Amino acid sequence: MHQIGIIGYGGMGRAHARDLLHPASIRFAAAYDIDPVRMELAKQDGLVACASREELLSMPEIDTILVAVPNNGHLDNVLAAIEAGKNVICEKPVALNGDELAQMQAAAQKKGVKMTVHQNRRWDKDYLIVKNILESRVLGKPFRIESRVQGARGIADTWRRRKAYGGGMLYDWGVHLIDQLLQLTDAKIISVFAEFQYLSQNEVDDNIRLTLNFDDGLSTLMEIGTCNFLMLPRWYVCGKEGTALIPYWDCKGEIIISNGKEVTWEDEIQTASLMGPSKTLQPRGENTITHLPLPDVTPDKETYYRMLNDALDGKGELPVTPAQAVRVMKVIDLAFKSGAENKVIHIPEGF
């Protein structure tokens, strides 16, 4: 059995131990947090509450450490765990930039331990529906994927509002959405353009639009907003033969595809339509399209820890590989660069 120790027993650290499913071959055994109140909760949850990080890292029965502290503390704690000979799971974002991630990965390779990132939203139902749609090719060749999360409450008044702690929405939600988008295509990214806004305060980004263009013609839009009283769709996916829409987290949407029947064009421009005179933008006739339901998928929330267990046993790939973590981090670095310089960053060779 693999026993895991947790550094940082806040909301996410405790969620791993209490609420997230994991196979019987993995056990959360101990925790350390600088807050005595959180340590009392760890005791209540049946974990050993360590008096220091060093005590936790010295426990021989612990073979893996979960780092679940604020973002600015990831590097120090990951390196300390690796130096102690422990495998590491790091909460997202794994690092604040590519240089930090490179340090972590080099240390893990030198020490001969495994390191991965907790990108748990690869197993969200809405994402798995989109993945299923694209794999089925029901829409034909995809040319546009839009992914967004929006709310109207601003950023919670925690460390996530503080730049010094690695706050802001690109690090918070953006890392999830980027990771999802990159899992939907094998094409190379050839350009990055990011727009940041700071509406509620000036320290960290609370609204982002990020466009990635790929070498196969696909364009993706990732959008995060915290001041949206009316929300745009969670997913909007366009292919040459159809469109899929997931309006909200309840995953009640639809797919509309061409049924192959030819579109006819009127000799005269229609003037009595709702949109006024137009030929091009008149709706297609119902006889030329087919309405389909979204595919039914059942997320398996145990997948992450099952894959982790197999990887630790040398029987499979980590749930998030080093190369995947690097690619996401590179997009984040380029997004910040694009936003700061207010320009499109072109990558002729792609990545």
Side-chain angles (χ1 to χ4, degrees), residues 52-348:
S52 66
R53 183 178 74 179
E54 289 67 33
E55 179 185 346
L56 175 62
L57 295 180
S58 67
M59 294 175 66
E61 63 271 34
I62 299 294
D63 64 18
T64 303
I65 293 293
L66 165 69
V67 174
V69 299
N71 299 339
N72 67 316
H74 288 182
L75 178 63
D76 175 62
N77 284 289
V78 166
L79 292 179
I82 291 171
E83 182 59 29
K86 311 296 186 183
N87 303 304
V88 176
I89 311 161
C90 187
E91 262 300 333
K92 60 80 198 173
V94 61
L96 296 181
N97 54 61
D99 289 341
E100 288 189 358
L101 178 55
Q103 290 182 56
M104 297 175 184
Q105 292 184 338
Q109 185 174 16
K110 181 178 179 180
K111 201 71 176 180
V113 298
K114 299 184 185 299
M115 177 189 159
T116 189
V117 188
H118 187 238
Q119 291 284 9
N120 58 303
R121 292 192 176 275
R122 291 187 185 186
W123 293 277
D124 281 3
K125 184 174 183 177
D126 59 285
Y127 164 71
L128 292 176
I129 288 173
V130 172
K131 190 170 184 285
N132 180 291
I133 290 170
L134 292 173
E135 289 175 348
S136 74
R137 306 295 292 178
V138 67
L139 304 181
K141 181 178 173 58
F143 63 87
R144 181 73 169 174
I145 302 175
E146 297 182 5
S147 169
R148 56 177 60 82
V149 292
Q150 297 176 321
R153 303 177 66 188
I155 300 177
D157 190 12
T158 64
W159 61 264
R160 288 178 173 81
R161 279 192 189 181
R162 311 289 183 257
K163 185 174 182 178
Y165 290 94
M169 295 310 294
L170 182 56
Y171 284 140
D172 190 3
W173 270 94
V175 65
H176 280 310
L177 303 193
I178 292 167
D179 181 70
Q180 288 180 337
L181 287 171
L182 296 188
Q183 294 303 301
L184 294 175
T185 178
D186 294 325
K188 291 184 177 181
I189 300 167
I190 57 172
S191 72
V192 176
F193 179 61
E195 303 167 85
F196 294 86
Q197 291 178 298
Y198 304 80
L199 301 182
S200 58
Q201 33 65 44
N202 292 319
E203 279 200 34
V204 297
D205 54 282
D206 51 21
N207 287 262
I208 316 157
R209 286 170 60 90
L210 173 65
T211 298
L212 304 178
N213 288 314
F214 295 80
D215 65 357
D216 66 348
L218 175 66
S219 179
T220 67
L221 171 67
M222 182 209 81
E223 186 171 7
I224 304 168
T226 61
C227 192
N228 298 77
F229 290 82
L230 290 171
M231 290 177 249
L232 291 168
R234 170 68 187 92
W235 291 94
Y236 183 67
V237 185
C238 296
K240 296 184 75 173
E241 302 299 328
T243 303
L245 177 72
I246 303 178
Y248 195 60
W249 298 98
D250 58 10
C251 297
K252 295 177 180 178
E254 68 171 332
I255 301 169
I256 296 179
I257 61 171
S258 167
N259 63 14
K261 292 183 179 179
E262 186 177 352
V263 174
T264 58
W265 298 86
E266 299 80 3
D267 291 334
E268 299 292 331
I269 292 178
Q270 302 298 303
T271 59
S273 69
L274 291 173
M275 70 181 64
S278 173
K279 275 193 176 184
T280 302
L281 296 182
Q282 291 294 332
R284 290 179 67 123
E286 282 292 320
N287 66 316
T288 70
I289 59 177
T290 299
H291 295 257
L292 300 173
L294 296 175
D296 185 23
V297 302
T298 303
D300 182 357
K301 296 296 186 181
E302 292 188 9
T303 303
Y304 183 91
Y305 277 104
R306 187 181 298 115
M307 290 182 68
L308 175 68
N309 180 76
D310 289 347
L312 294 179
D313 288 343
K315 299 176 181 178
E317 194 173 65
L318 287 164
V320 179
T321 68
Q324 290 168 349
V326 167
R327 198 166 183 230
V328 171
M329 200 72 248
K330 187 170 182 178
V331 171
I332 289 176
D333 284 348
L334 289 172
F336 278 124
K337 177 179 173 63
S338 172
E341 298 178 2
N342 191 29
K343 69 178 185 182
V344 177
I345 306 296
H346 295 280
I347 310 104

